[in-house]
Amino acid sequence: MENINIVKGDITFPPRKVWFKTFGCQMNYHDTERMLALLTGLNFTKTELREEADLVLFNTCAIRGLANEKFYSQLGEIKHLKAKNPALAVGAAGCVSQIEGNELLKKYKHLDFAFGTDVIDQISEIVYRFYAGESKFFINAWDKSSNYSIETKITHNDPRAFVNIIKGCNNFCTYCIVPFTRGREISRKIKEIVEDVKKLVNEQGIREITLLGQNVNSFGKENDESIAQLIHQLDKIDELKLIRYTSSHPYNVSDELIKTHGSSKKLALHLHLPVQSGSDSVLTRMKRRHTRQHYLDILKKLREANPEIVLSSDIIVGFPNETEEEYQDTLRLLDEAKFDFIYAYKYSSRPGTKAADIEDSLPEEVKKKRLVDLQKYQLDVQTVIRQGLIGKIVSGLVEEARTKDGVKKWVVRTSCFRIVHFEPENPEVDYKFHWVDLELLSATQLSFQGKMVKDHGKW
Ligand code: SAH
Ligand code: SF4
Ligand code: F3S
């Protein structure tokens, strides 16, 4: 690397290394990438080695107790690094920092600064302040501007990119901390997003985008726009090949959006649609604003709009006072919904949320057992689905090669979000980022083995 200093204000920034540790959802990973891109302006490059870092930044997640604890323990470990290298700067960003940054600074003496989720675009100013001699400072202001306007920043050379379209969440599901860590909903304008995506496609070779937000289905409300309209506009960008969006809330899935799954040539053949529970009484206590039947109707309409669509979901077991019957209703929903996969979680009480005030008489062991049993139940459901797919042709993007026991295989992520491995006839050919068609030969619970039947070339 060239040893060129950057001068900002009255401070000289020599080349330095930043090590990021990111917890949580795709939004956090995307924010990390954004901060990395912005920090290049202060002469920082990324390192994978914590030991050689000049700046350690944690991008934290508060969704469940476990996420917080993983962060606390890793932050604790940094103390020894800082003892060895007093010049090391240590900062905390993200959702934990947004709601408890002050406490973190008090408790962890080696933490230099903390900042929240809505000021990440100020990362350079924040780091500048540290090098200007300020320490133990905390910023968690909300961006009060009436429109959300950004340009996507990417630092990788993968043809796929995340594009933020809306931030915040107004839903206040009773178990969830996100509305407190990410603030109120605010959307970008369609026009800006389309220009942004055109640039990514034409200047940076992006072929797949994932439209990102905590609640993307309420995108555009304040501007009289909708995610269906956005997808319709993005469909017209020639070189863009695939569009995904996440996270979706069933309450806001409009008929217009469902129809788009049939009409769009670019929407992926997959939708992740968290249901959380199959019991109407639990859904009411969660304030999900949809019933079990309403949710199942959406799945039916989506499958009518596009018979190829593959669906997945999130489930929470052990919500306060969940009865055996309510839990059984969720198992029965799995039978009916036929999800390709689910992410299942044991309810974790989040201080500050409505559900945290409920007196809960459900024993911890019951919650644990329900989680294990539900995961096993779903694996049986998805094994049957997957066995039924053998012989089918699927398309996807080759992600990487893996060699195990001397056998080289390529890993493909399909449009329908499945993972398929194939062994190349010629191990010398580089298939990375090729679009390929595969015949499914066999299935395990989580992936497939396939045979490449057509190589469409580099994306
Ligand atoms: N905005 C997304 C969800 C973000 S959180 C959406 O509404 O779909 C991702 C998942 O974490 C949720 O779908 C839920 O299943 C789980 N989750 C959220 N809060 C939780 C809690 N307090 N305990 C356990 N799981 C939780
Ligand atoms: Fe949390 Fe509900 Fe908002 Fe999703 S929709 S982020 S679960 S409050
Ligand atoms: Fe976690 Fe914040 Fe995402 S709480 S799940 S990192 S929005």
Side-chain angles (χ1 to χ4, degrees):
M1 191 176 59
E2 281 181 83
N3 203 11
I4 298 174
N5 291 336
I6 291 182
V7 180
K8 273 268 149 74
D10 46 12
I11 303 180
T12 301
F13 287 87
R16 288 194 175 99
K17 292 206 154 47
V18 53
W19 181 80
F20 265 100
K21 176 69 197 177
T22 307
F23 302 89
C25 61
Q26 286 153 324
M27 202 156 314
N28 250 20
Y29 282 85
H30 186 51
D31 287 349
T32 294
E33 193 180 5
R34 187 168 184 83
M35 288 191 270
L36 257 175
L38 292 166
L39 279 174
T40 56
L42 290 185
N43 227 353
F44 281 91
T45 47
K46 173 175 144 180
T47 174
E48 304 293 339
L49 296 172
R50 198 174 66 175
E51 284 64 28
E52 67 168 29
D54 302 289
L55 168 62
V56 164
L57 276 175
F58 291 97
N59 199 2
T60 61
C61 171
I63 200 79
R64 285 169 288 274
L66 198 62
N68 285 50
E69 275 145 34
K70 278 190 205 154
F71 158 58
Y72 301 144
S73 114
Q74 294 217 15
L75 177 58
E77 284 172 29
I78 295 292
K79 196 174 162 187
H80 310 292
L81 272 186
K82 185 124 174 172
K84 270 193 253 161
N85 171 17
L88 179 69
V90 183
C95 289
V96 179
S97 194
Q98 176 70 38
I99 50 179
E100 52 183 74
N102 264 331
E103 290 74 22
L104 290 172
L105 286 169
K106 276 191 211 122
K107 187 160 173 216
Y108 297 90
K109 299 281 175 273
H110 62 289
L111 181 64
D112 294 304
F113 55 89
F115 57 101
T117 52
D118 223 11
V119 292
I120 62 164
D121 276 8
Q122 294 169 36
I123 179 74
S124 297
E125 288 91 316
I126 292 168
V127 171
Y128 182 95
R129 276 171 66 175
F130 171 79
Y131 285 101
E134 225 181 307
S135 185
K136 303 304 269 186
F137 60 93
F138 173 46
I139 317 169
N140 69 342
W142 294 115
D143 175 5
K144 291 274 164 47
S145 51
S146 57
N147 72 335
Y148 175 30
S149 171
I150 51 162
E151 189 183 353
T152 301
K153 298 206 180 303
I154 53 172
T155 53
H156 57 65
N157 55 7
D158 192 299
R160 296 167 292 187
F162 289 112
V163 175
N164 273 332
I165 61 167
I166 176 172
K167 58 181 177 178
C169 181
N170 293 353
N171 278 340
F172 289 94
C173 302
T174 56
Y175 51 82
C176 184
I177 197 73
V178 170
F180 303 92
T181 67
R182 293 271 170 175
R184 296 295 68 74
E185 285 169 7
I186 177 164
S187 306
R188 294 173 70 192
K189 294 243 173 77
I190 287 184
K191 192 161 174 285
E192 179 187 289
I193 299 167
V194 171
E195 288 312 309
D196 194 21
V197 173
K198 273 188 187 158
K199 248 175 133 177
L200 291 172
V201 168
N202 296 329
E203 292 172 21
Q204 293 187 273
I206 295 298
R207 297 291 172 261
E208 171 181 328
I209 53 165
T210 302
L211 306 172
L212 210 53
Q214 278 305 339
N215 187 19
V216 289
N217 298 346
S218 42
F219 165 81
K221 265 199 288 200
E222 66 272 35
N223 305 318
D224 247 344
E225 297 183 335
S226 73
I227 186 164
Q229 289 166 3
L230 171 63
I231 292 166
H232 187 67
Q233 292 300 320
L234 294 171
D235 248 344
K236 295 184 201 156
I237 301 176
D238 271 350
E239 293 297 308
L240 182 65
K241 302 270 172 59
L242 203 60
I243 304 170
R244 303 181 190 274
Y245 63 89
T246 195
S247 308
S248 265
H249 188 296
Y251 179 75
N252 302 102
V253 176
S254 66
D255 285 344
E256 189 195 10
L257 180 59
I258 293 175
K259 254 179 38 203
T260 311
H261 277 275
S263 61
S264 164
K265 284 178 273 316
K266 295 183 179 169
L267 260 188
L269 298 173
H270 169 244
L271 182 63
H272 187 71
L273 194 60
V275 62
Q276 315 300 359
S277 168
S279 150
D280 279 339
S281 40
V282 173
L283 288 171
T284 304
R285 300 207 298 280
M286 289 177 163
K287 198 173 150 261
R288 287 291 287 180
R289 300 189 294 164
H290 61 82
T291 59
R292 169 200 177 92
Q293 194 53 49
H294 176 68
Y295 181 84
L296 287 169
D297 288 346
I298 295 173
L299 298 197
K300 186 161 170 270
K301 286 198 251 173
L302 280 164
R303 285 173 168 139
E304 279 163 9
N306 190 339
E308 300 278 299
I309 199 165
V310 166
L311 299 159
S312 56
S313 200
D314 289 351
I315 305 279
I316 297 176
V317 298
F319 187 78
N321 306 316
E322 180 190 60
T323 64
E324 179 61 27
E325 203 186 341
E326 287 168 335
Y327 168 68
Q328 291 291 335
D329 280 343
T330 302
L331 294 184
R332 277 198 292 276
L333 178 93
L334 297 181
D335 283 330
E336 285 187 54
K338 305 226 177 310
F339 295 122
D340 209 57
F341 65 89
I342 59 164
Y343 298 119
Y345 308 102
K346 182 164 67 69
Y347 169 76
S348 168
S349 173
R350 308 315 293 135
T353 60
K354 276 253 165 65
D357 295 336
I358 305 173
E359 202 154 329
D360 185 8
S361 61
L362 188 63
E364 200 48 32
E365 303 80 72
V366 176
K367 297 185 188 222
K368 278 190 192 152
K369 182 165 175 358
R370 284 186 186 168
L371 178 63
V372 173
D373 290 351
L374 179 121
Q375 279 166 328
K376 191 174 165 301
Y377 197 91
Q378 168 63 21
L379 280 179
D380 289 344
V381 171
Q382 71 194 50
T383 302
V384 174
I385 298 174
R386 283 162 182 251
Q387 291 304 332
L389 295 168
I390 306 308
K392 207 176 142 31
I393 307 289
V394 294
S395 307
L397 182 71
V398 183
E399 286 186 336
E400 57 177 353
R402 275 188 211 153
T403 305
K404 204 176 144 200
D405 304 326
V407 182
K408 178 175 179 173
K409 284 187 181 172
W410 290 94
V411 183
V412 178
R413 171 70 74 179
T414 67
S415 166
C416 54
F417 215 63
R418 294 177 173 130
I419 294 281
V420 187
H421 302 249
F422 77 90
E423 207 179 309
E425 272 175 26
N426 178 355
E428 301 304 313
V429 181
D430 183 5
Y431 287 108
K432 190 162 172 133
F433 298 145
H434 281 217
W435 187 259
V436 296
D437 296 343
L438 302 153
E439 182 187 341
L440 300 178
L441 299 178
S442 65
T444 64
Q445 283 171 335
L446 299 171
S447 68
F448 291 88
Q449 299 297 320
K451 184 178 153 210
M452 194 186 60
V453 290
K454 186 161 181 179
D455 176 13
H456 295 269
K458 207 168 169 87
W459 227 16

